[in-house]
């Protein structure tokens, strides 16, 4: 993966590494309504929602809106995208990135 596109590089105001070893990296996302990221890439990850949120995701010209409830966990295949908090609550998510 091109580290220059990792969200902790493109959007350090929203993403930070909270744990890392030779197997995984855990990245926390926190933002507020109206926040928008720069284009970035996530590797294959387990996504764990810590708050409910609504986000607009734009990938290669395709846009979808995603609603998540708090405390869900699921697989997220690697993707490059721009994200925007289009809800009325802050987003709080953990990504467990597989190395």
């Amino acid at each position: 993966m091109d580290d220059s596109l990792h969200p902790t590089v493109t959007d350090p105001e929203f993403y930070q590494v909270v744990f890392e070893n030779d197997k995984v990296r855990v990245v926390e996302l926190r933002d507020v309504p109206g926040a928008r990221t720069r284009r970035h890439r996530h590797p294959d990850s387990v996504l764990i929602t810590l708050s409910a949120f609504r986000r607009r995701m734009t990938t290669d010209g395709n846009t979808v809106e995603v609603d998540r409830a708090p405390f869900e966990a699921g697989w997220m295949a690697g993707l490059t995208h721009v994200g925007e908090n289009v809800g009325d609550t802050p987003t709080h998510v953990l990504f467990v990135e597989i190395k």
Side-chain angles (χ1 to χ4, degrees), residues 37-89:
T37 68
R38 293 168 192 82
R39 184 175 172 272
H40 60 275
R41 174 148 180 80
H42 293 278
D44 290 347
S45 305
V46 174
L47 175 75
I48 303 165
T49 60
L50 300 176
S51 69
F53 65 81
R54 170 172 263 190
R55 298 187 71 75
R56 181 175 297 133
M57 313 290 275
T58 303
T59 306
D60 298 326
N62 298 315
T63 300
V64 297
E65 289 196 7
V66 177
D67 286 293
R68 295 285 178 133
F71 309 113
E72 292 182 343
W75 180 252
M76 186 180 82
L79 78 152
T80 302
H81 73 110
V82 171
E84 182 178 3
N85 183 334
V86 295
D88 55 7
T89 62

Side-chain angles (χ1 to χ4, degrees), residues 10-51:
T10 62
D11 296 286
E13 65 274 28
F14 303 132
Y15 292 90
Q16 68 174 341
V17 174
V18 294
F19 175 81
E20 185 168 10
N21 65 21
D22 61 331
K23 306 286 185 202
V24 298
R25 176 171 35 196
V26 179
V27 175
E28 180 180 44
L29 163 62
R30 286 181 178 263
D31 73 7
V32 296
R36 181 180 170 92
T37 68
R38 293 168 192 82
R39 184 175 172 272
H40 60 275
R41 174 148 180 80
H42 293 278
D44 290 347
S45 305
V46 174
L47 175 75
I48 303 165
T49 60
L50 300 176
S51 69

